[in-house]
Amino acid sequence: TVTASQIATGSKNISVAKIGARGIYTGELTEDSLLSFAPQLRMQLEVSGMEIVESLFIDGDVETSANKNINDIAGTPAATDYFLAFDGFRKLALVTNTANARSAGGALSIEDYIDTLKLMGTAGLAGSDPSKVFFIVDGNVHYANMKIVEAKTRDVNSAATVENGFLRRAYGFEIVPSWQMHRASAD
């Protein structure tokens, strides 16, 4: 016989936060201008907003104590700092679950990607499916990726992984550079 088990789902509380922006200009600017610049201002606000949201998902940290926020380790964050809205991806590995943190210890190698995947769940189970996992790297890692020997030479790598100056995949997992990571501070 097989015993019955209760089917259930887990729950996850999601903190809701609000961020906003506004730009002020006078009506005289539109009256005295030969070109309509309001659409340009709107586009700049949209681009800036997307960049801030990207940074927030990666670098968000609600810690307000002095020297403890991952974005302001040398001071105290201002109450208006956008990264205080909620905790992001980096906070999980750096503070909340330090067992998931690792350092390449200087030189980046292609094996660092495998070692990072192993940190995801028991024996890396959560990082086992390339269709559900990808790497987000900052600018420094992006540049280091271009120096990895396995990605540069055809004798080691017959498939094109470096495309237009970007290392696109490692072991089948997509690599996405984010220029908004560490936006508030590179400390």
Side-chain angles (χ1 to χ4, degrees):
T1 61
V2 177
T3 58
S5 59
Q6 180 70 31
I7 297 176
T9 61
S11 64
K12 171 72 175 144
N13 292 331
I14 298 174
S15 300
V16 178
K18 182 178 182 179
I19 59 173
R22 72 177 181 164
I24 300 172
Y25 66 92
T26 67
E28 292 169 339
L29 289 173
T30 57
E31 294 170 0
D32 295 341
S33 177
L34 294 173
L35 303 171
S36 177
F37 68 90
Q40 173 66 20
L41 293 176
R42 178 183 169 88
M43 187 207 55
Q44 287 177 296
L45 194 58
E46 287 176 10
V47 169
S48 177
M50 289 185 283
E51 291 172 349
I52 291 290
V53 169
E54 179 180 329
S55 175
L56 179 57
F57 273 96
I58 297 169
D59 294 328
D61 186 356
V62 298
E63 179 62 58
T64 57
S65 301
N67 307 326
K68 291 188 176 181
N69 187 292
I70 63 173
N71 300 289
D72 194 359
I73 60 172
T76 304
T80 56
D81 285 333
Y82 71 90
F83 54 78
L84 293 173
F86 53 81
D87 289 338
F89 302 137
R90 284 192 325 122
K91 171 81 180 260
L92 176 65
L94 294 174
V95 179
T96 310
N97 185 358
T98 55
N100 286 345
R102 66 175 304 274
S103 171
L108 179 70
S109 72
I110 196 70
E111 289 82 12
D112 286 318
Y113 286 99
I114 295 173
D115 293 339
T116 302
L117 288 169
K118 289 182 198 175
L119 295 173
M120 301 181 73
T122 305
L125 181 62
S128 64
D129 187 350
S131 70
K132 296 179 183 173
V133 176
F134 62 93
F135 292 99
I136 302 172
V137 300
D138 67 359
N140 295 317
V141 175
H142 166 69
Y143 293 125
N145 278 338
M146 291 187 278
K147 295 179 181 179
I148 294 175
V149 174
E150 293 85 351
K152 291 194 312 184
T153 61
R154 286 256 183 226
D155 60 329
V156 176
N157 180 13
S158 63
T161 55
V162 177
E163 299 174 20
N164 299 323
F166 289 84
L167 179 62
R168 297 291 184 192
R169 296 193 166 281
Y171 298 103
F173 293 86
E174 186 177 359
I175 298 174
V176 179
S178 170
W179 304 106
Q180 304 313 313
M181 185 182 291
H182 311 291
R183 179 187 176 104
S185 172
D187 291 344

